[in-house]
Amino acid sequence: MRNRRGFTLVELMIGMIIMLVVTGAVYKLLTTTQRLSRAQAERTDLQSNVRTTSIVVPNELREINTVEGSAIASQNDILAASGTSITYRAMRGMGYVCQSPTSTDLRITKSTFDGTRTPVAGRDSAYVFMEGADPDQGSDDTWQPVPISAVDPNSTCGATAAYKFTINPSVATLTAANVPVGTPVRVYEVMQLSLYANGGQSWLGARSVSANEASQPVLGPLVSGTGLSFEYLDKNAGNSMGTLNGVKTVRMTVRGITDDAIVTGASSAMAHVQDSLVSEVQLRNAFRP
Amino acid sequence: MRASRVSNEGGMALAVAIFALVVIGALVAGTFFAGRLEQQTGQNTFYVGQAAEGAEAALAQTLGGSLSSSTMLDLATNGGSTTLGTVSLGGNVYGTPTVTRLTNSVWLVSALGERRRPDGTPLAQRQLGQLIRLNQANIKVKAGLTAIGKVTVSGNSTVSGFDQTPPQWVDEDCPTPDSVTGVLYNGQLTQQGSAVIKGDPNRQQDNTLTAGNMLGGGTFAQLKAMATLVLTSDISGLGPVTVGNPPVCNAAVQNNWGAPTDTSSACFDYFPIIYHNGDLSVSGTGEGQGILLVEGNLNVQGRIDFYGPVIVTGGVNIRGTGSDDVKFYGGVMAQDITLDDSKLTGNAMVNYSSCAIKRAIQGSATPIPLQERSWVQLYN
C-alpha cells in the first residue's frame, strides 16, 4: 500500500473541473474567433459586391448617348427606364470602314477593331458615322443605325483582314460617297440591367435584350426590393424619368446585404448586415444641346 | 524522488493549448489575409480610377488647346497619327494622347492614362478616346466684295473676283482656283475714276442679299463666339510677335495677326479670329491673316495687307493713299446694318482668294468632339 501511487477522488474531480473550465474557455475563444472571421469574410464580400456593382454599372452606362429633340430619337440610347431597371444600347466596340460599303455589305478592319469582344450577329447592331451635306460643318453630322444579320470574321478588304457585316434590311445611305474609308463604326447591343429576384434573394441582373436572353444574376446578393435603384437626372439635376432623351446623369444606389447572418457589434447577436453606395454616372455622350 | 514524480506526470494541457493557438492563429491569419486582399482590391480600383483621370485629363488638354488644326490637317487620312506630349497630373498619374486621322473630317484622340510607381513602372492603365473634328467658321464667300447699301469703288482701287493665290503659298494645299463675282451687292454700286471691277461676272446685283444670308451659312453672332483675339482699341501697324526659344507665336499681342508671307515665321500658321466691338481703324504698315470681324464700320488706310475673310456689320472704308496700297486677299463682306457707305479709294485692292479663305478658315479652326457618340472606352 505504501508504494501505491495515484490520485484521490477529490484530486480527480478538481482536475476534471479545471480541465472543463480550460476546455470551455478555449472552445469559447475558438467559436468567437470563428464567428468574427466569418463576419469579416461576409463583410468583405458585401463591400466587394457593392463596390464592383458601382464599377460595372457605370462602365456600362457611361457611353450612353442622349439628344434632346424628338427628330433624332434614334440617337437616344436609353430605351426604357424605371426605378429598378434600365434598358439601353451598350457600346461593345468601335472599328473603321476599310472599303467602300454597299447597302448590304459593310466591312471594318479587324486589326484595329477595339472592343470588349468580337461582333456577334443576332446580338449586335451598328452605328455608322455619316458626314452631313456640308463636310466643313459638324452640325449636320449623324450616326446611321445599321442592322447586322451576319458577321463574317474571316473576310478581307483587299489584303487586310476584316469583319464583314451583312446588313438586312439594307440601308440605302451606305454608299461610297457617304461613308469613306476610315469612317468610324460603333457596335452595340441592347442590354437591360435590373434588380433580379431568385431563390428568395435579389441580385444585379443583366440580360441582352437584342439576343432575347433571360436575365442572369451578375452580382449580389442585394437587399430585396431596394437593392438597386436608378434616378435619371436632366441638365439641371431635375428628374428626367419622363423625358429620357434629356437624361444627362444616372444616379445609382446599390444596397448590398450579407449572404448569411453574422455577429454584429460587441454582442453575440446575429443579423444580416447591409451596406450601400451611391454613384452618379455622367453620360459622356449626352452633351447636346 | 521529486524529480521522478515530475517526469512521470501525464497531461494534455500543453497539447490543447498549442492546438488552440494554432487554430486561432490560422483564423486570425485568414482574417488578416481577407482584409489585406480587400485593401489591395480597393487600392487597385483606386489606381484604375486615377489612370482613367489621367486619360480624361489628356483628352481635355488635347481638346483644350494643345492640338492645333494644322497638326490635325497635316496627318494623312485613314491612319496618319501623331503622339502629343504626356500630361502629368502629379501623384504619378499621367496621360498620353495620340491623334489619328480617320477620314478627311474625322479624327480620333486616344488617351492612355497611367498610374505609375515612382520608378515609372505602370500600376494601372486605362485608355479612353474621343472622336473629333474641326470646328470651322461657317463662311461661304461668293464675291471679292459683298455688300449691302451704297458701294463706291473709286480712284485706282481694284475689286477682283478672279481667284488669286498669293505667290508665297505655292507649297500650300490650296483649292483649284475658281473665280467668282467681283462685286455682289444689294443696293447701289458706283464705279468712279480709274477703278477696276473684274470677276466672273465682274458685278452682280442680288436683291435677295441680306445680312442674314450673306455669310452663306453661319451668322455673325456664331462667328463672334469663336473669336480668339478680341481687340480693345484701334490698330496702328501689324506684325508677327514671337516669344521664347524656339520661338512661339505670341497670340496675346493685339497687333499680331500672323505672318502670312513669311513661311519661316512661327506665326505663319497663326490664324486668329479677330473681333472688335464698334468702329475699327487699322492704319500704318504690316500684314496679317485670319478672319476679321468688326461689329461696326471698318476703316483701313496705310500699307496694310490682310489674308482671309473680312466681315463687317457696318460699312468698309478702304483707302490706299499714294504708293501705299491696302490689299485684301480673300473676300470682304459688308452687312451695312447702319447703312454707311462702303468705299474703296486710292490704290485699295480687294482680291478674291479661295486659298486665303481656306487657310484662314482651317487655320483658325479648333478641335471639337463629334456632336454625338464621340466619347469611347478603348480596350486594346
Side-chain angles (χ1 to χ4, degrees), chain A residues 29-30 37 44 51 55 59 65 75 77 96 113-114 127 131 134-136 139 141 143 181-182 186 284-285 287-288, chain B residues 20 23-24 31 38 41 45 56 78 102 105-106 108 126 133 136 140 370-380:
Chain A
L29 192 61
L30 277 172
S37 175
T44 301
R51 187 180 58 238
I55 293 171
N59 269 350
N65 190 82
Q75 304 299 328
D77 289 344
Y96 310 102
F113 180 79
D114 190 308
Y127 274 107
E131 180 68 69
D134 186 346
D136 293 333
S139 56
D141 296 345
W143 290 81
V181 170
R186 305 205 62 174
R284 299 305 311 277
N285 290 316
F287 52 85
R288 286 182 73 198
Chain B
V23 172
I24 292 168
T31 305
E38 175 68 8
T41 307
T45 305
E56 289 277 19
N78 195 18
L102 304 177
S105 59
V106 180
L108 171 70
R126 186 81 189 273
R133 62 172 302 137
Q136 301 183 153
K140 304 286 186 293
L370 298 187
Q371 62 179 354
E372 289 164 20
R373 306 188 187 288
S374 64
W375 192 88
V376 57
Q377 301 186 90
L378 300 173
Y379 302 94
N380 286 344

Short mmCIF file of all heavy atoms in Angstrom, two decimals, chain A residues 29-30 37 44 51 55 59 65 75 77 96 113-114 127 131 134-136 139 141 143 181-182 186 284-285 287-288, chain B residues 20 23-24 31 38 41 45 56 78 102 105-106 108 126 133 136 140 370-380:
data_model
loop_
_atom_site.label_atom_id
_atom_site.label_comp_id
_atom_site.label_asym_id
_atom_site.label_seq_id
_atom_site.Cartn_x
_atom_site.Cartn_y
_atom_site.Cartn_z
N LEU A 29 -13.29 30.74 -27.05
CA LEU A 29 -12.36 31.56 -27.82
C LEU A 29 -12.37 31.17 -29.29
O LEU A 29 -12.40 32.02 -30.21
CB LEU A 29 -10.95 31.41 -27.24
CG LEU A 29 -9.89 32.39 -27.73
CD1 LEU A 29 -10.27 33.82 -27.37
CD2 LEU A 29 -8.54 32.04 -27.13
N LEU A 30 -12.39 29.86 -29.53
CA LEU A 30 -12.40 29.38 -30.91
C LEU A 30 -13.67 29.80 -31.65
O LEU A 30 -13.61 30.29 -32.79
CB LEU A 30 -12.29 27.85 -30.93
CG LEU A 30 -10.88 27.28 -30.82
CD1 LEU A 30 -10.95 25.76 -30.66
CD2 LEU A 30 -10.08 27.62 -32.06
N SER A 37 -14.22 35.83 -37.74
CA SER A 37 -13.58 35.60 -39.03
C SER A 37 -14.62 35.51 -40.14
O SER A 37 -14.46 36.08 -41.22
CB SER A 37 -12.76 34.32 -38.96
OG SER A 37 -12.22 34.01 -40.22
N THR A 44 -16.42 41.56 -46.12
CA THR A 44 -15.55 41.76 -47.28
C THR A 44 -16.31 41.48 -48.57
O THR A 44 -16.26 42.26 -49.53
CB THR A 44 -14.32 40.84 -47.19
OG1 THR A 44 -13.62 41.14 -45.99
CG2 THR A 44 -13.40 41.03 -48.39
N ARG A 51 -19.04 47.53 -54.23
CA ARG A 51 -18.05 48.29 -54.98
C ARG A 51 -18.01 47.85 -56.44
O ARG A 51 -17.95 48.68 -57.36
CB ARG A 51 -16.67 48.16 -54.34
CG ARG A 51 -15.63 49.08 -54.98
CD ARG A 51 -14.26 48.95 -54.34
NE ARG A 51 -13.79 47.59 -54.41
CZ ARG A 51 -13.46 46.85 -53.36
NH1 ARG A 51 -13.56 47.37 -52.15
NH2 ARG A 51 -13.04 45.62 -53.50
N ILE A 55 -18.82 49.83 -60.05
CA ILE A 55 -17.84 49.97 -61.14
C ILE A 55 -18.44 49.46 -62.44
O ILE A 55 -18.35 50.10 -63.49
CB ILE A 55 -16.54 49.20 -60.81
CG1 ILE A 55 -15.82 49.85 -59.63
CG2 ILE A 55 -15.62 49.15 -62.02
CD1 ILE A 55 -14.67 49.05 -59.10
N ASN A 59 -19.58 51.72 -65.87
CA ASN A 59 -18.85 51.44 -67.11
C ASN A 59 -19.81 51.12 -68.25
O ASN A 59 -19.54 51.43 -69.41
CB ASN A 59 -17.90 50.26 -66.90
CG ASN A 59 -16.53 50.72 -66.45
OD1 ASN A 59 -16.23 51.91 -66.47
ND2 ASN A 59 -15.72 49.79 -66.02
N ASN A 65 -25.59 57.73 -75.24
CA ASN A 65 -25.81 58.97 -75.97
C ASN A 65 -27.26 59.40 -75.81
O ASN A 65 -28.17 58.58 -75.99
CB ASN A 65 -25.51 58.73 -77.45
CG ASN A 65 -25.47 59.99 -78.28
OD1 ASN A 65 -24.46 60.69 -78.30
ND2 ASN A 65 -26.56 60.29 -78.96
N GLN A 75 -31.15 58.40 -81.91
CA GLN A 75 -29.84 58.57 -81.30
C GLN A 75 -29.89 58.49 -79.78
O GLN A 75 -28.85 58.64 -79.14
CB GLN A 75 -29.24 59.91 -81.73
CG GLN A 75 -29.15 60.10 -83.24
CD GLN A 75 -28.26 59.07 -83.93
OE1 GLN A 75 -27.29 58.60 -83.37
NE2 GLN A 75 -28.63 58.69 -85.15
N ASP A 77 -30.04 56.53 -76.49
CA ASP A 77 -29.67 55.16 -76.14
C ASP A 77 -30.42 54.60 -74.94
O ASP A 77 -30.35 53.40 -74.69
CB ASP A 77 -28.17 55.09 -75.87
CG ASP A 77 -27.35 55.25 -77.15
OD1 ASP A 77 -27.95 55.11 -78.23
OD2 ASP A 77 -26.15 55.52 -77.05
N TYR A 96 -13.31 50.63 -87.96
CA TYR A 96 -13.20 51.63 -89.02
C TYR A 96 -13.42 50.98 -90.38
O TYR A 96 -12.85 49.92 -90.66
CB TYR A 96 -11.82 52.31 -88.95
CG TYR A 96 -11.51 52.76 -87.56
CD1 TYR A 96 -10.64 52.02 -86.74
CD2 TYR A 96 -12.13 53.88 -87.01
CE1 TYR A 96 -10.39 52.40 -85.43
CE2 TYR A 96 -11.88 54.27 -85.70
CZ TYR A 96 -11.01 53.52 -84.92
OH TYR A 96 -10.78 53.89 -83.62
N PHE A 113 -10.08 46.88 -84.77
CA PHE A 113 -11.34 46.85 -84.02
C PHE A 113 -11.02 46.84 -82.54
O PHE A 113 -10.18 46.07 -82.06
CB PHE A 113 -12.16 45.61 -84.39
CG PHE A 113 -13.47 45.55 -83.65
CD1 PHE A 113 -14.55 46.31 -84.06
CD2 PHE A 113 -13.62 44.74 -82.53
CE1 PHE A 113 -15.75 46.27 -83.37
CE2 PHE A 113 -14.81 44.70 -81.83
CZ PHE A 113 -15.88 45.46 -82.26
N ASP A 114 -11.69 47.68 -81.80
CA ASP A 114 -11.40 47.84 -80.38
C ASP A 114 -12.69 47.66 -79.59
O ASP A 114 -13.61 48.46 -79.71
CB ASP A 114 -10.83 49.26 -80.15
CG ASP A 114 -10.27 49.43 -78.75
OD1 ASP A 114 -10.98 49.12 -77.79
OD2 ASP A 114 -9.11 49.86 -78.63
N TYR A 127 -23.74 51.49 -85.47
CA TYR A 127 -23.96 52.87 -85.89
C TYR A 127 -22.79 53.26 -86.79
O TYR A 127 -21.63 53.05 -86.42
CB TYR A 127 -24.00 53.82 -84.69
CG TYR A 127 -25.34 53.95 -84.04
CD1 TYR A 127 -25.60 53.36 -82.81
CD2 TYR A 127 -26.36 54.67 -84.64
CE1 TYR A 127 -26.84 53.49 -82.20
CE2 TYR A 127 -27.60 54.81 -84.04
CZ TYR A 127 -27.83 54.22 -82.83
OH TYR A 127 -29.05 54.36 -82.23
N GLU A 131 -21.15 61.73 -92.51
CA GLU A 131 -20.83 63.15 -92.69
C GLU A 131 -22.03 63.84 -93.32
O GLU A 131 -22.66 63.30 -94.24
CB GLU A 131 -19.61 63.25 -93.61
CG GLU A 131 -19.14 64.66 -93.89
CD GLU A 131 -18.56 65.34 -92.68
OE1 GLU A 131 -17.49 64.95 -92.24
OE2 GLU A 131 -19.21 66.28 -92.17
N ASP A 134 -22.62 69.33 -95.60
CA ASP A 134 -21.51 70.27 -95.57
C ASP A 134 -20.34 69.63 -94.82
O ASP A 134 -20.36 69.54 -93.59
CB ASP A 134 -21.94 71.57 -94.88
CG ASP A 134 -20.86 72.64 -94.95
OD1 ASP A 134 -19.71 72.29 -95.28
OD2 ASP A 134 -21.17 73.81 -94.68
N PRO A 135 -19.32 69.18 -95.54
CA PRO A 135 -18.23 68.48 -94.87
C PRO A 135 -17.40 69.38 -93.94
O PRO A 135 -16.61 68.87 -93.15
CB PRO A 135 -17.37 67.97 -96.04
CG PRO A 135 -17.69 68.88 -97.17
CD PRO A 135 -19.11 69.30 -96.98
N ASP A 136 -17.59 70.68 -94.06
CA ASP A 136 -16.83 71.60 -93.20
C ASP A 136 -17.53 71.86 -91.87
O ASP A 136 -16.96 72.51 -90.99
CB ASP A 136 -16.61 72.94 -93.92
CG ASP A 136 -15.70 72.78 -95.13
OD1 ASP A 136 -14.88 71.85 -95.12
OD2 ASP A 136 -15.85 73.57 -96.07
N SER A 139 -22.51 70.27 -87.54
CA SER A 139 -23.88 70.33 -87.03
C SER A 139 -24.83 69.43 -87.80
O SER A 139 -25.90 69.10 -87.31
CB SER A 139 -24.39 71.78 -87.06
OG SER A 139 -24.28 72.30 -88.37
N ASP A 141 -23.88 66.38 -88.99
CA ASP A 141 -23.41 65.00 -88.90
C ASP A 141 -24.40 64.15 -88.11
O ASP A 141 -25.11 64.66 -87.24
CB ASP A 141 -22.05 64.93 -88.20
CG ASP A 141 -20.96 65.66 -88.98
OD1 ASP A 141 -21.19 65.94 -90.16
OD2 ASP A 141 -19.91 65.93 -88.38
N TRP A 143 -25.30 59.65 -86.92
CA TRP A 143 -24.89 58.24 -86.92
C TRP A 143 -26.06 57.42 -87.47
O TRP A 143 -27.17 57.51 -86.96
CB TRP A 143 -24.52 57.77 -85.52
CG TRP A 143 -23.26 58.37 -84.99
CD1 TRP A 143 -23.11 59.60 -84.43
CD2 TRP A 143 -21.95 57.77 -84.98
NE1 TRP A 143 -21.80 59.81 -84.06
CE2 TRP A 143 -21.06 58.69 -84.39
CE3 TRP A 143 -21.45 56.54 -85.41
CZ2 TRP A 143 -19.71 58.43 -84.21
CZ3 TRP A 143 -20.09 56.28 -85.23
CH2 TRP A 143 -19.24 57.21 -84.64
N VAL A 181 -13.59 55.41 -96.64
CA VAL A 181 -12.71 54.51 -95.89
C VAL A 181 -12.17 55.25 -94.66
O VAL A 181 -11.77 56.41 -94.76
CB VAL A 181 -11.56 54.02 -96.79
CG1 VAL A 181 -10.51 53.28 -95.96
CG2 VAL A 181 -12.11 53.13 -97.89
N GLY A 182 -12.19 54.57 -93.53
CA GLY A 182 -11.74 55.19 -92.29
C GLY A 182 -12.88 55.63 -91.39
O GLY A 182 -12.68 55.97 -90.22
N ARG A 186 -19.59 52.09 -84.74
CA ARG A 186 -19.73 51.69 -83.35
C ARG A 186 -20.69 50.50 -83.26
O ARG A 186 -21.80 50.56 -83.80
CB ARG A 186 -20.19 52.85 -82.49
CG ARG A 186 -19.26 54.06 -82.64
CD ARG A 186 -19.29 54.97 -81.46
NE ARG A 186 -18.84 54.28 -80.26
CZ ARG A 186 -18.67 54.88 -79.09
NH1 ARG A 186 -18.90 56.15 -78.97
NH2 ARG A 186 -18.28 54.20 -78.03
N ARG A 284 -21.31 60.50 -70.90
CA ARG A 284 -20.28 61.27 -71.58
C ARG A 284 -20.68 61.69 -72.99
O ARG A 284 -20.04 62.54 -73.59
CB ARG A 284 -18.98 60.48 -71.61
CG ARG A 284 -18.41 60.16 -70.25
CD ARG A 284 -18.21 61.41 -69.40
NE ARG A 284 -17.53 62.45 -70.12
CZ ARG A 284 -16.23 62.53 -70.26
NH1 ARG A 284 -15.47 61.67 -69.66
NH2 ARG A 284 -15.68 63.49 -70.96
N ASN A 285 -21.69 61.04 -73.53
CA ASN A 285 -22.12 61.42 -74.88
C ASN A 285 -23.48 62.10 -74.85
O ASN A 285 -24.26 61.98 -75.80
CB ASN A 285 -22.14 60.19 -75.79
CG ASN A 285 -20.74 59.70 -76.09
OD1 ASN A 285 -19.86 60.50 -76.39
ND2 ASN A 285 -20.52 58.41 -75.98
N PHE A 287 -24.02 65.53 -74.29
CA PHE A 287 -23.73 66.95 -74.07
C PHE A 287 -24.49 67.88 -74.99
O PHE A 287 -24.28 69.07 -75.01
CB PHE A 287 -22.23 67.22 -74.17
CG PHE A 287 -21.59 66.72 -75.42
CD1 PHE A 287 -21.61 67.47 -76.56
CD2 PHE A 287 -20.96 65.49 -75.43
CE1 PHE A 287 -21.02 67.00 -77.72
CE2 PHE A 287 -20.36 65.02 -76.58
CZ PHE A 287 -20.40 65.78 -77.73
N ARG A 288 -25.38 67.32 -75.84
CA ARG A 288 -26.22 68.19 -76.65
C ARG A 288 -27.55 68.38 -75.95
O ARG A 288 -28.04 67.45 -75.30
CB ARG A 288 -26.46 67.57 -78.01
CG ARG A 288 -25.27 67.63 -78.94
CD ARG A 288 -25.65 67.03 -80.27
NE ARG A 288 -26.53 67.91 -81.01
CZ ARG A 288 -27.28 67.48 -82.04
NH1 ARG A 288 -27.25 66.23 -82.41
NH2 ARG A 288 -28.06 68.31 -82.68
N ALA B 20 -5.08 24.91 -29.77
CA ALA B 20 -5.95 26.09 -29.78
C ALA B 20 -5.24 27.29 -30.38
O ALA B 20 -5.80 28.04 -31.19
CB ALA B 20 -6.41 26.42 -28.36
N VAL B 23 -5.11 26.90 -34.18
CA VAL B 23 -6.40 27.16 -34.81
C VAL B 23 -6.72 28.66 -34.80
O VAL B 23 -7.10 29.26 -35.81
CB VAL B 23 -7.52 26.36 -34.13
CG1 VAL B 23 -8.88 26.78 -34.67
CG2 VAL B 23 -7.30 24.87 -34.34
N ILE B 24 -6.55 29.25 -33.62
CA ILE B 24 -6.84 30.69 -33.51
C ILE B 24 -5.92 31.49 -34.43
O ILE B 24 -6.33 32.42 -35.13
CB ILE B 24 -6.69 31.16 -32.04
CG1 ILE B 24 -7.80 30.54 -31.21
CG2 ILE B 24 -6.72 32.67 -31.95
CD1 ILE B 24 -7.60 30.70 -29.72
N THR B 31 -8.30 36.01 -41.46
CA THR B 31 -8.99 37.30 -41.40
C THR B 31 -8.09 38.41 -41.92
O THR B 31 -8.51 39.27 -42.70
CB THR B 31 -9.44 37.60 -39.97
OG1 THR B 31 -10.23 36.52 -39.50
CG2 THR B 31 -10.22 38.89 -39.90
N GLU B 38 -8.85 42.64 -49.49
CA GLU B 38 -9.84 43.68 -49.69
C GLU B 38 -9.17 45.04 -49.87
O GLU B 38 -9.53 45.83 -50.74
CB GLU B 38 -10.79 43.69 -48.49
CG GLU B 38 -11.82 44.80 -48.48
CD GLU B 38 -12.85 44.65 -49.59
OE1 GLU B 38 -12.85 43.61 -50.26
OE2 GLU B 38 -13.62 45.60 -49.79
N THR B 41 -7.52 45.16 -53.25
CA THR B 41 -8.52 45.32 -54.31
C THR B 41 -8.99 46.77 -54.37
O THR B 41 -9.11 47.37 -55.44
CB THR B 41 -9.72 44.39 -54.06
OG1 THR B 41 -9.24 43.06 -53.88
CG2 THR B 41 -10.69 44.42 -55.22
N THR B 45 -8.49 49.38 -57.43
CA THR B 45 -9.62 50.12 -58.00
C THR B 45 -9.31 51.62 -58.02
O THR B 45 -9.60 52.32 -58.99
CB THR B 45 -10.89 49.87 -57.18
OG1 THR B 45 -11.10 48.46 -57.10
CG2 THR B 45 -12.10 50.54 -57.80
N GLU B 56 -8.55 61.05 -69.04
CA GLU B 56 -9.51 62.16 -69.21
C GLU B 56 -8.78 63.50 -69.31
O GLU B 56 -9.13 64.36 -70.12
CB GLU B 56 -10.50 62.20 -68.04
CG GLU B 56 -11.51 61.08 -68.02
CD GLU B 56 -12.70 61.35 -68.92
OE1 GLU B 56 -12.60 62.20 -69.82
OE2 GLU B 56 -13.74 60.70 -68.72
N ASN B 78 -7.00 58.24 -93.09
CA ASN B 78 -7.06 56.80 -92.92
C ASN B 78 -5.81 56.24 -92.26
O ASN B 78 -5.18 55.32 -92.74
CB ASN B 78 -7.30 56.10 -94.26
CG ASN B 78 -7.73 54.66 -94.06
OD1 ASN B 78 -8.15 54.27 -92.98
ND2 ASN B 78 -7.60 53.86 -95.10
N LEU B 102 -8.83 59.72 -89.26
CA LEU B 102 -9.61 58.61 -89.80
C LEU B 102 -10.07 58.90 -91.22
O LEU B 102 -9.92 58.08 -92.12
CB LEU B 102 -10.82 58.33 -88.90
CG LEU B 102 -10.50 58.05 -87.42
CD1 LEU B 102 -11.79 57.86 -86.63
CD2 LEU B 102 -9.62 56.82 -87.29
N SER B 105 -12.45 64.42 -92.45
CA SER B 105 -13.03 65.35 -91.47
C SER B 105 -13.15 64.78 -90.06
O SER B 105 -13.64 65.47 -89.18
CB SER B 105 -14.43 65.78 -91.95
OG SER B 105 -15.26 64.65 -92.11
N VAL B 106 -12.71 63.55 -89.84
CA VAL B 106 -12.86 62.94 -88.51
C VAL B 106 -11.51 62.41 -88.02
O VAL B 106 -10.78 61.76 -88.77
CB VAL B 106 -13.89 61.79 -88.53
CG1 VAL B 106 -14.04 61.18 -87.15
CG2 VAL B 106 -15.24 62.29 -89.02
N LEU B 108 -9.47 60.65 -84.36
CA LEU B 108 -9.65 60.00 -83.06
C LEU B 108 -8.50 60.42 -82.16
O LEU B 108 -7.32 60.29 -82.52
CB LEU B 108 -9.65 58.48 -83.22
CG LEU B 108 -9.61 57.69 -81.89
CD1 LEU B 108 -10.93 57.84 -81.15
CD2 LEU B 108 -9.30 56.22 -82.13
N ARG B 126 -5.51 52.82 -68.31
CA ARG B 126 -6.88 52.93 -68.82
C ARG B 126 -6.81 53.76 -70.10
O ARG B 126 -6.08 54.75 -70.15
CB ARG B 126 -7.76 53.64 -67.78
CG ARG B 126 -9.22 53.71 -68.13
CD ARG B 126 -9.95 52.41 -67.79
NE ARG B 126 -11.29 52.44 -68.32
CZ ARG B 126 -12.34 52.96 -67.68
NH1 ARG B 126 -12.18 53.47 -66.48
NH2 ARG B 126 -13.54 52.94 -68.22
N ARG B 133 -13.58 66.52 -84.68
CA ARG B 133 -13.49 67.13 -85.97
C ARG B 133 -13.10 68.60 -85.77
O ARG B 133 -12.90 69.03 -84.63
CB ARG B 133 -14.80 67.02 -86.73
CG ARG B 133 -15.97 67.74 -86.07
CD ARG B 133 -17.17 67.75 -86.99
NE ARG B 133 -16.83 68.39 -88.23
CZ ARG B 133 -17.19 67.93 -89.45
NH1 ARG B 133 -17.94 66.86 -89.54
NH2 ARG B 133 -16.84 68.56 -90.55
N GLN B 136 -15.06 74.82 -87.68
CA GLN B 136 -14.64 75.88 -88.59
C GLN B 136 -15.68 76.98 -88.68
O GLN B 136 -16.87 76.73 -88.51
CB GLN B 136 -14.42 75.31 -89.99
CG GLN B 136 -13.39 74.21 -90.05
CD GLN B 136 -13.15 73.72 -91.46
OE1 GLN B 136 -12.09 73.24 -91.77
NE2 GLN B 136 -14.13 73.85 -92.32
N LYS B 140 -19.18 81.25 -96.41
CA LYS B 140 -19.09 80.94 -97.84
C LYS B 140 -18.96 82.27 -98.58
O LYS B 140 -19.93 83.04 -98.67
CB LYS B 140 -20.36 80.20 -98.32
CG LYS B 140 -20.66 78.91 -97.55
CD LYS B 140 -19.72 77.79 -97.94
CE LYS B 140 -20.13 76.47 -97.27
NZ LYS B 140 -19.96 76.49 -95.81
N LEU B 370 -17.21 65.18 -81.88
CA LEU B 370 -18.41 64.99 -82.70
C LEU B 370 -19.62 65.24 -81.82
O LEU B 370 -19.59 64.97 -80.62
CB LEU B 370 -18.47 63.56 -83.24
CG LEU B 370 -17.35 63.09 -84.16
CD1 LEU B 370 -17.68 61.71 -84.73
CD2 LEU B 370 -17.12 64.07 -85.29
N GLN B 371 -20.68 65.73 -82.41
CA GLN B 371 -21.80 66.14 -81.57
C GLN B 371 -22.52 64.95 -80.93
O GLN B 371 -23.29 65.12 -79.99
CB GLN B 371 -22.77 67.00 -82.37
CG GLN B 371 -23.40 66.28 -83.55
CD GLN B 371 -24.37 67.18 -84.29
OE1 GLN B 371 -24.64 68.29 -83.85
NE2 GLN B 371 -24.91 66.71 -85.39
N GLU B 372 -22.29 63.75 -81.46
CA GLU B 372 -22.89 62.55 -80.85
C GLU B 372 -21.88 61.41 -80.85
O GLU B 372 -21.07 61.29 -81.75
CB GLU B 372 -24.14 62.12 -81.61
CG GLU B 372 -25.32 63.05 -81.43
CD GLU B 372 -26.38 62.83 -82.48
OE1 GLU B 372 -26.39 61.76 -83.09
OE2 GLU B 372 -27.18 63.75 -82.70
N ARG B 373 -21.96 60.57 -79.84
CA ARG B 373 -21.19 59.32 -79.76
C ARG B 373 -19.70 59.56 -79.94
O ARG B 373 -19.01 58.76 -80.56
CB ARG B 373 -21.68 58.31 -80.80
CG ARG B 373 -23.15 58.03 -80.74
CD ARG B 373 -23.58 56.91 -81.63
NE ARG B 373 -25.04 56.82 -81.62
CZ ARG B 373 -25.74 56.38 -80.61
NH1 ARG B 373 -25.13 55.91 -79.54
NH2 ARG B 373 -27.07 56.36 -80.64
N SER B 374 -19.19 60.62 -79.40
CA SER B 374 -17.78 60.93 -79.61
C SER B 374 -16.89 60.22 -78.58
O SER B 374 -15.79 59.81 -78.90
CB SER B 374 -17.55 62.44 -79.54
OG SER B 374 -17.85 62.92 -78.24
N TRP B 375 -17.38 60.10 -77.36
CA TRP B 375 -16.54 59.56 -76.28
C TRP B 375 -16.61 58.04 -76.29
O TRP B 375 -17.69 57.45 -76.41
CB TRP B 375 -17.05 60.11 -74.94
CG TRP B 375 -16.14 59.88 -73.78
CD1 TRP B 375 -15.11 60.67 -73.37
CD2 TRP B 375 -16.20 58.80 -72.85
NE1 TRP B 375 -14.53 60.14 -72.25
CE2 TRP B 375 -15.18 58.99 -71.91
CE3 TRP B 375 -17.02 57.68 -72.72
CZ2 TRP B 375 -14.96 58.12 -70.84
CZ3 TRP B 375 -16.80 56.80 -71.67
CH2 TRP B 375 -15.77 57.03 -70.74
N VAL B 376 -15.45 57.41 -76.17
CA VAL B 376 -15.43 55.95 -76.30
C VAL B 376 -14.41 55.36 -75.33
O VAL B 376 -13.35 55.93 -75.09
CB VAL B 376 -15.10 55.57 -77.76
CG1 VAL B 376 -13.80 56.16 -78.22
CG2 VAL B 376 -15.08 54.07 -77.96
N GLN B 377 -14.76 54.23 -74.75
CA GLN B 377 -13.83 53.48 -73.92
C GLN B 377 -13.08 52.51 -74.82
O GLN B 377 -13.68 51.75 -75.55
CB GLN B 377 -14.58 52.73 -72.81
CG GLN B 377 -15.38 53.67 -71.92
CD GLN B 377 -16.01 52.95 -70.75
OE1 GLN B 377 -15.44 52.84 -69.69
NE2 GLN B 377 -17.23 52.47 -70.94
N LEU B 378 -11.76 52.54 -74.73
CA LEU B 378 -10.93 51.69 -75.58
C LEU B 378 -10.31 50.59 -74.74
O LEU B 378 -10.06 50.76 -73.54
CB LEU B 378 -9.85 52.53 -76.27
CG LEU B 378 -10.37 53.67 -77.16
CD1 LEU B 378 -9.22 54.55 -77.64
CD2 LEU B 378 -11.14 53.11 -78.35
N TYR B 379 -10.01 49.48 -75.38
CA TYR B 379 -9.55 48.30 -74.64
C TYR B 379 -8.25 47.71 -75.18
O TYR B 379 -7.62 46.91 -74.49
CB TYR B 379 -10.64 47.22 -74.66
CG TYR B 379 -11.94 47.72 -74.08
CD1 TYR B 379 -12.94 48.24 -74.91
CD2 TYR B 379 -12.17 47.69 -72.72
CE1 TYR B 379 -14.13 48.71 -74.38
CE2 TYR B 379 -13.35 48.16 -72.18
CZ TYR B 379 -14.33 48.67 -73.02
OH TYR B 379 -15.50 49.14 -72.49
N ASN B 380 -7.86 48.05 -76.40
CA ASN B 380 -6.66 47.43 -76.97
C ASN B 380 -5.38 48.09 -76.44
O ASN B 380 -5.37 49.25 -76.14
CB ASN B 380 -6.68 47.53 -78.50
CG ASN B 380 -7.68 46.56 -79.09
OD1 ASN B 380 -8.13 45.64 -78.42
ND2 ASN B 380 -8.04 46.78 -80.33
#
